[in-house]
Amino acid sequence: DTGVSQDPRHKITKRGQNVTFRCDPISEHNRLYWYRQTLGQGPEFLTYFQNEAQLEKSRLLSDRFSAERPKGSFSTLEIQRTEQGDSAMYLCASSFDSTLKAEAFFGQGTRLTVV
Amino acid sequence: AQKITQTQPGMFVQEKEAVTLDCTYDTSDQSYGLFWYKQPSSGEMIFLIYQGSYDEQNATEGRYSLNFQKARKSANLVISASQLGDSAMYFCAMREGGSGSARQLTFGSGTQLTVLP
């Protein structure tokens, strides 16, 4: 297992189009997180899955955003009707548990540019 | 109020010198964890070091050490013997021990470290 992988690494889309990103976590990790990182800022929490259940969503996750983790393995994040403000790096992370010291392993992210 | 504050947008250090990156945090939880991550230009977040709120000793991992001052709510990262490969963005993050199941990380805005030859 080579770690958390995300696909695609880069996505350029026109405003109004839908986009979908994929995250494959480390196989034995049942916790999966999505974060968004804008230029010059730290990552901000979007949503959290434990196995296939989406247990928490940030208020940053507008109605245009939806995330799934259908079989408790890989996850997808879809953005509908993209806006220029959606341009950011979308990071996926996984961890073995949610204890305080649990290390979150991050993927390399998907950089979205909305033109 | 910001939960994690990193007041140094950019820092320069000479190769082989030590550097301290500042981080202050704000929480009402008694139980929490503090993390430092490195983010090179390639984008991935690399875990460096962890400090628990109840840990009595400052954490150390190789050339990284965490100067934890609980009363001041600060968790500064010290990198000793800087190397050119240390040039990257550094993020301080906190995980609070509250009742939420996610226990997501809350990040600061980062410090861009540049190591000079």
Side-chain angles (χ1 to χ4, degrees), chain B residues 14 18 24-25 29 35-36 39 41 50 68 70 72 90 94 100-101 104 107 113 115-117:
Chain B
Q14 208 68 38
T24 57
Y25 59 91
D29 284 358
F35 298 76
W36 277 91
Q39 186 177 42
S41 55
Y50 167 82
F68 181 46
K70 195 170 181 177
R72 294 185 177 185
Y90 287 80
M94 177 171 63
S101 64
Q104 68 270 23
F107 288 85
L113 177 66
V115 181
L116 303 171

Side-chain angles (χ1 to χ4, degrees), chain A residues 9 31 33 35 37 40-45 48 50 55-56 89 91 95 97-109 111, chain B residues 31-33 35 37 39 41-47 50 53 89 91 95-97 99-110:
Chain A
R9 294 288 311 279
R31 271 78 170 176
Y33 303 79
Y35 290 83
Q37 185 179 21
Q41 298 298 317
E44 296 174 293
F45 170 72
Y48 162 71
Q50 183 173 326
L55 296 184
E56 283 196 36
M89 174 81 91
L91 291 163
S95 64
D97 59 36
S98 59
T99 58
L100 278 181
K101 68 183 299 183
E103 181 183 338
F105 292 81
F106 284 81
Q108 290 189 297
R111 184 171 297 282
Chain B
S31 182
Y32 52 89
F35 298 76
Y37 279 84
Q39 186 177 42
S41 55
S42 52
E44 78 274 25
M45 301 285 282
I46 302 167
F47 166 76
Y50 167 82
S53 59
M89 195 75 163
F91 290 97
R95 175 181 282 131
E96 294 173 280
S99 58
S101 64
R103 289 189 167 177
Q104 68 270 23
L105 292 168
T106 301
F107 288 85
S109 56

